Amino acid sequence: MNKLTLVPAPRYLEYIEGQFEISGEGLIVLQGADPQALLPLAQMLRAAFSQQADINWQTAAGSVLTRECRVALMLVPGSIRHEQGYSLAITPQRIDIVANQPAGIFYAVQTLRQMLAQCGASLPALQCRDWPDFAQRGVMLDISRNKVPSMHTLYALVDQLGALKINQLQLYTEHTFAYRNHPRVWAQASPMTGEQILELDAYCRQHFIELVPNQNTFGHLRPWLVQEPYRDLAECPDGCDTHWGHFDEPFSLNPGDPRSLDLVRGMLDELLPHFSSRQVNVGCDETVDLGQGRSRERVAELGAGRVYFEFLMRIYREVKARGRTMQFWGDIIMEHPELAPELPRDVIALEWGYDAGHPFDQHGQKFAAAGVLFYVCPGTSSWNTIAGRTDNALENLRNAALNGLKHGAVGYLNTDWGDNGHWQPLPVSYLGFVYGAGLAWDYQANLEMDVPRALDVHVFQDQSGVMGRLAYDLGNVYQQPGILPHNSSVLFNILQTNPQEIPVHLPNAPREELVERMRSTLERIDGIMQPLPEAVMLRPDADLLRREFAWVADILRHACYRALWALEARQTPEAEPKNLAQQTEALATEFQQVWLARNRPGGLADSLTRMQKIRLSYEQALK
C-alpha cells in the first residue's frame, strides 16, 4: 500500500503483514481505573468507524478482552516513556491502544482517524509508538487586531488543532474580552463574553487543549489608553516615538502610577475565573515608550530594564496570589539579560521571533543559563503579507523547534498575528499550523514533511491535490519582487503606503527592471491560481476557501498594479487610476463578505478604513 500521510508523523511506525477489516459485530472495550474518561474517545472513534462501514459497535468497560472485542482502549500508568505518549497496535484481529493517561488515548485516536480517512474500512496492520518532544504545544491567535472570530470559527479551529495534537490555545487580547467593569473599552469590538469563554474552555478540554488566558497588561494597551478615564494611566498620554515611527496616541501603562497596577488587578480578577487553566499570559512585550514620559526620571535613575522588571514583578505577585503561573513575552528581558537570573523560577518566558534567522539559539542559551523556564514562539508568517511567507515560515518554525529542544524549552507556541488590519484570511495560516504542529510533536520525524500533501489530506481535504500546492506557492509570491523586508512582504507594504512613498519599499534598481519584476510577479500569481477551479475539497466551507484564496490573489495583483502606477508604467491599463479605484472597490466588497463569514463585525470598519485609503489615493490622482 502507499505510505500513509500522518500529521504529526509518529516517532515509530512499522507495517506488518495483514489487514484489519471494519465489519461485522464488535465491541470497543475500555480498560483502566477511569473508563468514564475514555468514553468520549470511544464515541469519537466509533463515529469514525461508522463513516467507513455500516457498523454500530458497542462500548463496554472490562478487564478481559473477549473474542468480540475489536478495539481496546487501555489506561496503563507507566506503560509509555512520555506521559502523553501512546502505543497503537493494529492486527487482523484487533486494535489495541495503550497510554498512561487519557490524553495519550486521545492522540492515538487522532492518528487512527487519520488512517481511516485514507484507508477506509481496511486498515493496514502495524505497530506504532509515539510521544511528543514538547510537553506544551500551543497556537496563539490574535483576536485584538480587528478580527474576533465567531464561535463557529473557534470551535472548528479547536477541532483542527486537536486533530494535530496541539494541546494549548491562547487568544491574544488587548480589549476584546467583555469586561463588565470596563464597557467603554470594548464597545465597538464584538468581544468574547465571559459565557463564551466558559463554553470555549469546556470545548477545548474535550479535545485535551488548555485554553490559556492571554491579556496584555503593560504595553500594547492603546485601545484602553485612548479612552477616558484610562488615558491618565499612560506613560505617554499624547504619543511617543517608537522604532515603528511616531505614535500620536498612548501605548503603555505608566509603571510608576499605583492605579496602573489597580487596573491590572481588576483585569485579572474579572478574566481569570472564566478559564480552567492555571496559567496566564500577561504579555508585557514591546514597552517601547518606557522612559519617554512619566517614568522618565525613574528610568534615568535606575535604567529602563530595572523599571520594567519592577513592574513585571508586581504583576507576577498578583498572578501568584491568584494561584496561577505567569507567562510573559521575553523580549525586554533579552534586551537586559542581566536581569534574567532575578526572575522567579516559576515564571515562563516566551521567547518570540518571526524571521527565519531569529536568534533562538542565543536567546535560548541565555534563558537556560539563568535557569528560567521558557517557550520558543515562532509564527505562521501570515500577517503583514496577506498570502503568507511560506519559506520564511517553515525555516522560522524549524529554527524554533531545533533550538528549543537544544536548550530545554518547556513549550512551543506557534503565533498568528493580525497587524495592520488583519487582512489575511485564517486559512492562509493553516500551512504554519500544520508544519508547526508536526515539529512540536516530533522534530526529526516531521522535519521533511510534505507540507502541500499534508494540507490536502488533513486540512483542505482536497482529493485533487490542488489546494495544498496552491497555498504553499501563493505564500512564496512574496519573494518574486526581489526584496525581503523584515516581518512583512513588499506587496503588503505597497498596499499600505502612500503613493509617493512606494518607491522606498522597492529594490534599488532601474525603473525598467522594477516594472519587469512586477509583471513577472503578476504572471507568477496567475500561474499559481490557474488550477483553483479543479480543487475538489470535501470540507463544508469549500466554496468560502476558494473565495478567500481568490481574494488573496486579487489583492496581491492589485499591489503589483499599484506599484506599476507609482512607477508610471502607463502602458498597463490595469494600472490606470480609474481602473485601480474600481479594483479597490470590488476588493473591499469581497473582503467584507469573506470577513463576516468567519468573524464578528467588530473591527471590520477599522480594517476597511485602511483599504479605503488606497482608493482615495486613486481618486485624488483623478482630480
Side-chain angles (χ1 to χ4, degrees):
M1 63 163 293
N2 293 329
K3 183 179 179 182
L4 292 168
T5 297
L6 302 175
V7 182
R11 189 172 302 273
Y12 170 85
L13 190 150
E14 180 184 6
Y15 295 99
I16 56 180
E17 187 176 352
Q19 302 281 325
F20 176 86
E21 302 294 338
I22 305 171
S23 61
E25 299 295 324
L27 189 66
I28 301 174
V29 176
L30 312 181
Q31 287 191 355
D34 187 11
Q36 289 79 10
L38 301 182
L39 179 59
L41 309 182
Q43 293 170 335
M44 179 183 292
L45 190 55
R46 187 169 62 185
F49 285 147
S50 297
Q51 289 179 355
Q52 306 300 333
D54 184 19
I55 62 165
N56 186 27
W57 292 351
Q58 300 300 307
T59 301
S63 59
V64 178
L65 300 181
T66 63
R67 291 185 61 185
E68 62 181 334
C69 173
R70 301 300 307 279
V71 181
L73 307 184
M74 296 177 277
L75 280 179
V76 183
S79 60
I80 306 297
R81 177 176 175 180
H82 190 285
E83 276 303 294
Q84 298 177 44
Y86 65 88
S87 171
L88 168 63
I90 302 177
T91 68
Q93 292 76 35
R94 194 171 70 232
I95 297 174
D96 289 336
I97 294 174
V98 181
N100 299 313
Q101 57 184 16
I105 302 290
F106 175 80
Y107 298 137
V109 168
Q110 304 318 305
T111 300
L112 194 52
R113 290 175 69 206
Q114 290 188 5
M115 292 177 179
L116 287 163
Q118 295 171 74
C119 300
S122 183
L123 291 171
L126 53 81
Q127 296 283 342
C128 175
R129 294 192 301 275
D130 204 11
W131 60 86
D133 281 339
F134 291 92
Q136 302 297 316
R137 305 170 303 281
V139 163
M140 190 226 74
L141 186 67
D142 186 350
I143 67 166
S144 284
R145 319 299 171 84
N146 301 123
K147 279 183 180 175
V148 181
S150 67
M151 293 300 290
H152 177 78
T153 299
L154 289 170
Y155 289 146
L157 180 62
V158 170
D159 290 339
Q160 186 69 69
L161 296 180
L164 296 172
K165 302 182 175 68
I166 292 296
N167 67 351
Q168 189 176 119
L169 175 63
Q170 300 189 19
L171 303 177
Y172 171 76
T173 305
E174 293 172 4
H175 66 300
T176 48
F177 176 74
Y179 288 100
R180 292 187 176 276
N181 293 324
H182 306 282
R184 176 178 291 188
V185 172
W186 49 262
Q188 305 302 317
S190 300
M192 297 287 296
T193 66
E195 183 175 359
Q196 288 170 341
I197 291 292
L198 290 167
E199 292 169 346
L200 183 63
D201 187 282
Y203 196 74
C204 284
R205 292 173 70 180
Q206 293 171 19
H207 293 75
F208 293 84
I209 292 174
E210 179 183 4
L211 183 65
V212 175
N214 181 321
Q215 169 65 62
N216 223 324
T217 56
F218 197 169
H220 286 285
L221 287 179
R222 174 202 162 276
W224 292 74
L225 300 176
V226 295
Q227 304 278 355
E228 299 298 342
Y230 309 100
R231 184 182 290 267
D232 193 44
L233 300 178
E235 168 73 9
C236 298
D238 299 319
C240 58
D241 293 322
T242 78
H243 54 266
W244 308 297
H246 182 76
F247 284 7
D248 293 328
E249 296 174 320
F251 189 76
S252 300
L253 286 173
N254 170 15
D257 190 329
R259 297 174 300 165
S260 293
L261 192 60
D262 289 340
L263 178 62
V264 173
R265 288 190 187 103
M267 290 178 179
L268 298 175
D269 284 339
E270 192 169 347
L271 179 68
L272 296 186
H274 296 90
F275 295 81
S276 59
S277 170
R278 306 314 297 172
Q279 302 186 83
V280 55
N281 182 346
V282 298
C284 299
D285 59 316
E286 296 185 316
T287 51
V288 292
D289 50 342
L290 185 61
Q292 293 187 40
R294 289 170 168 167
S295 67
R296 182 180 288 111
E297 293 183 3
R298 184 72 170 164
V299 166
E301 176 188 0
L302 299 177
R306 177 59 60 184
V307 173
Y308 170 88
F309 187 83
E310 288 179 347
F311 193 63
L312 181 71
M313 289 300 94
R314 293 189 185 105
I315 297 172
Y316 162 76
R317 287 188 284 274
E318 297 299 329
V319 170
K320 186 78 171 174
R322 289 158 180 80
R324 310 276 173 146
T325 296
M326 186 178 86
Q327 300 180 3
F328 72 101
W329 301 114
D331 53 310
I332 305 301
I333 292 296
M334 273 298 103
E335 293 175 9
H336 306 276
E338 70 280 1
L339 297 173
E342 298 184 40
L343 287 166
R345 292 301 178 261
D346 59 348
V347 301
I348 298 174
L350 304 175
E351 166 54 29
W352 60 269
Y354 309 127
D355 275 318
H358 180 76
F360 284 111
D361 189 1
Q362 298 92 317
H363 291 184
Q365 190 278 329
K366 290 179 181 178
F367 279 124
V372 176
L373 300 175
F374 72 100
Y375 286 13
V376 285
C377 306
T380 62
S381 297
S382 66
W383 62 99
N384 290 341
T385 67
I386 305 176
R389 294 184 292 156
T390 297
D391 284 353
N392 182 84
L394 300 183
E395 182 55 33
N396 177 235
L397 292 161
R398 284 191 290 262
N399 178 14
L402 174 65
N403 289 294
L405 291 172
K406 178 180 178 180
H407 297 293
V410 296
Y412 185 100
L413 182 65
N414 191 358
T415 61
D416 193 60
W417 297 95
D419 301 36
N420 296 305
H422 212 147
W423 283 1
Q424 78 274 15
L426 180 62
V428 168
S429 302
Y430 293 166
L431 181 150
F433 291 159
V434 166
Y435 192 56
L439 295 173
W441 182 266
D442 186 334
Y443 175 80
Q444 289 296 337
N446 291 275
L447 186 60
E448 301 300 328
M449 181 190 296
D450 183 343
V451 177
R453 169 70 176 165
L455 286 167
D456 280 330
V457 173
H458 298 299
V459 178
F460 295 127
Q461 301 174 30
D462 183 9
Q463 295 183 315
S464 70
V466 165
M467 285 304 300
R469 174 53 59 183
L470 185 150
Y472 189 102
D473 289 344
L474 197 61
N476 269 333
V477 165
Y478 78 102
Q479 301 176 81
Q480 195 74 21
I483 185 170
L484 303 175
H486 171 72
N487 199 25
S488 63
S489 74
V490 66
L491 296 178
F492 181 85
N493 294 338
I494 287 169
L495 290 167
Q496 299 233 350
T497 300
N498 292 327
Q500 61 272 21
E501 297 174 358
I502 288 176
V504 175
H505 295 286
L506 297 175
N508 186 16
R511 174 183 169 279
E512 294 77 13
E513 181 180 334
L514 296 177
V515 169
E516 182 55 35
R517 290 188 190 190
M518 289 300 156
R519 288 181 174 156
S520 71
T521 302
L522 285 165
E523 292 176 1
R524 179 65 178 143
I525 295 169
D526 290 344
I528 292 168
M529 296 303 294
Q530 186 175 1
L532 179 61
E534 301 170 13
V536 183
M537 292 179 282
L538 303 182
R539 291 173 55 119
D541 62 348
D543 289 340
L544 176 58
L545 279 162
R546 291 188 189 90
R547 289 179 65 184
E548 288 169 321
F549 279 96
W551 180 86
V552 167
D554 285 343
I555 198 166
L556 292 181
R557 292 188 186 100
H558 185 83
C560 295
Y561 293 134
R562 183 172 173 83
L564 291 171
W565 171 58
L567 293 166
E568 299 183 348
R570 299 299 186 187
Q571 66 272 37
T572 306
E574 294 90 346
E576 293 295 331
K578 181 179 179 180
N579 292 329
L580 288 168
Q582 292 174 348
Q583 292 170 29
T584 310
E585 189 66 31
L587 285 166
T589 299
E590 180 69 355
F591 177 70
Q592 182 170 348
Q593 292 178 8
V594 296
W595 173 297
L596 292 173
R598 296 194 193 273
N599 305 284
R600 308 173 196 211
L604 174 59
D606 182 65
S607 185
L608 276 172
T609 297
R610 293 174 176 270
M611 210 167 290
Q612 290 161 357
K613 289 180 180 178
I614 303 175
R615 189 186 74 247
L616 289 174
S617 66
Y618 306 135
E619 293 175 352
Q620 290 170 358
L622 289 168
K623 291 181 180 178

